[in-house]
């Protein structure tokens, strides 16, 4: 396959924000649902939209809980955000080969762009989409279709890369190649029922897979 467009999830795929997200959720959980969750259970909240997470916990207080999470997360954001080793090199190499790159995330758009900027990778992306840019978050394919429209991309030559089942299902629903990254908090055993097209163990394997049809 000669891929031309790659869409990336952000948290847990490009950005190493697992600890940031888990600690922020745990603060909110302890404040509002004391003793209900253990800290090691916070990984389950990395991926779904905030509205889904807190709406399921207490629909009547959804907006209040979402706002509190964002407040806590922003306090910790700049000092705790990092990037997985090897990702920047992958982005640079894909860009040099002429691929169009995008970010599609459930994170609020302004915070997403702030994170991309802090990591110094803004220039690699042709479009960056966060919540507020679309109405239905992943696993609904709406955000992927919007990104592909902005990039003038075809389904047959597009890839969705992510670390959670929301990314994989969204990619499958959009009719594009779906790639699960092995540096995720989620295991390959967890993701296999969602039928990703490809599972890669590290950024180098991701690059080799995407460019395999480009460098022939």
């Amino acid at each position: 396959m000669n891929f031309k467009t790659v869409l990336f999830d952000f948290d847990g795929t490009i950005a190493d924000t697992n600890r940031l997200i888990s600690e922020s959720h745990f603060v909110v959980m302890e404040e509002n649902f004391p003793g209900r969750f253990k800290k090691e259970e916070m990984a389950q909240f990395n991926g779904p939209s905030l509205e889904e997470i807190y709406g399921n916990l207490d629909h009547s207080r959804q907006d209040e809980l979402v706002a509190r999470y964002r407040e806590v997360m922003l306090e910790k954001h700049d000092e705790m955000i990092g990037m997985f080793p090897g990702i920047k090199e992958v982005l640079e190499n894909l860009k040099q080969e002429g691929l169009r790159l995008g970010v599609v995330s459930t994170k609020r758009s302004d915070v997403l762009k702030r994170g991309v900027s802090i990591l110094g990778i803004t220039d690699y992306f042709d479009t960056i989409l966060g919540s507020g840019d679309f109405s239905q978050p992943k696993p609904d394919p709406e955000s992927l279709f919007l990104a592909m429209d902005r990039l003038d991309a075809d389904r047959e030559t597009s890839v969705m890369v992510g670390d959670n089942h929301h990314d994989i299902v969204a990619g499958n629903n959009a009719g594009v190649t779906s790639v699960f990254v092995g540096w995720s908090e989620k295991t390959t055993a967890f993701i296999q029922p969602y039928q990703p097209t490809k599972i890669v163990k590290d950024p180098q394997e991701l690059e080799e897979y995407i460019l395999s049809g480009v460098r022939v």
Side-chain angles (χ1 to χ4, degrees):
M1 175 64 71
N2 190 345
F3 295 119
K4 297 179 180 179
T5 305
V6 187
L7 305 177
F8 290 90
D9 177 53
F10 187 66
D11 292 308
T13 301
I14 291 174
D16 186 357
T17 51
N18 292 331
R19 190 165 66 92
L20 167 64
I21 292 170
S22 292
E23 290 193 10
S24 300
H25 278 306
F26 191 64
V27 169
V28 180
M29 297 302 176
E30 282 297 281
E31 288 177 351
N32 295 277
F33 312 99
R36 181 169 171 180
F37 298 100
K38 297 178 181 178
K39 199 166 189 177
E40 55 268 26
E41 295 177 308
M42 293 300 102
Q44 67 183 295
F45 301 120
N46 189 348
S49 69
L50 296 177
E51 290 74 17
E52 179 182 346
I53 293 168
Y54 289 107
N56 287 338
L57 288 171
D58 188 343
H59 184 72
S60 66
R61 299 174 60 212
Q62 173 183 304
D63 292 346
E64 172 193 341
L65 295 170
V66 168
R68 177 56 179 152
Y69 169 84
R70 285 175 171 153
E71 180 181 37
V72 173
M73 187 273 294
L74 283 173
E75 290 173 357
K76 302 172 178 286
H77 182 273
D78 292 4
E79 66 180 60
M80 291 187 68
I81 192 171
M83 187 157 46
F84 290 107
I87 290 294
K88 189 169 187 176
E89 290 79 6
V90 171
L91 297 175
E92 183 173 349
N93 291 338
L94 295 181
K95 199 69 177 174
Q96 286 181 347
E97 292 289 347
L99 279 79
R100 306 206 73 188
L101 309 181
V103 175
V104 181
S105 172
T106 57
K107 186 186 286 288
R108 200 174 73 191
S109 297
D110 58 332
V111 182
L112 172 62
K113 291 175 181 177
R114 175 171 162 180
V116 172
S117 177
I118 289 171
L119 297 178
I121 54 175
T122 302
D123 290 345
Y124 294 120
F125 297 107
D126 301 288
T127 190
I128 299 173
L129 297 178
S131 67
D133 295 317
F134 45 84
S135 58
Q136 298 297 321
K138 296 173 290 184
D140 190 283
E142 179 194 352
S143 56
L144 276 66
F145 288 145
L146 177 58
M148 292 165 64
D149 184 60
R150 290 188 177 186
L151 300 176
D152 195 25
D154 296 322
R155 299 184 189 191
E156 296 76 16
T157 56
S158 298
V159 186
M160 177 66 212
V161 181
D163 70 303
N164 211 323
H165 69 282
H166 300 78
D167 307 305
I168 301 306
V169 175
N172 293 343
N173 287 341
V176 306
T177 296
S178 58
V179 178
F180 175 76
V181 300
W183 53 93
S184 163
E185 284 189 328
K186 300 294 190 296
T187 65
T188 55
F190 167 84
I191 207 65
Q192 281 172 342
Y194 299 98
Q195 300 182 314
T197 309
K198 177 72 174 177
I199 297 174
V200 295
K201 66 180 183 298
D202 54 41
Q204 182 179 357
E205 186 178 4
L206 173 64
E207 179 183 327
E208 290 172 353
Y209 175 70
I210 292 174
L211 293 180
S212 59
V214 178
R215 290 175 170 168
V216 294

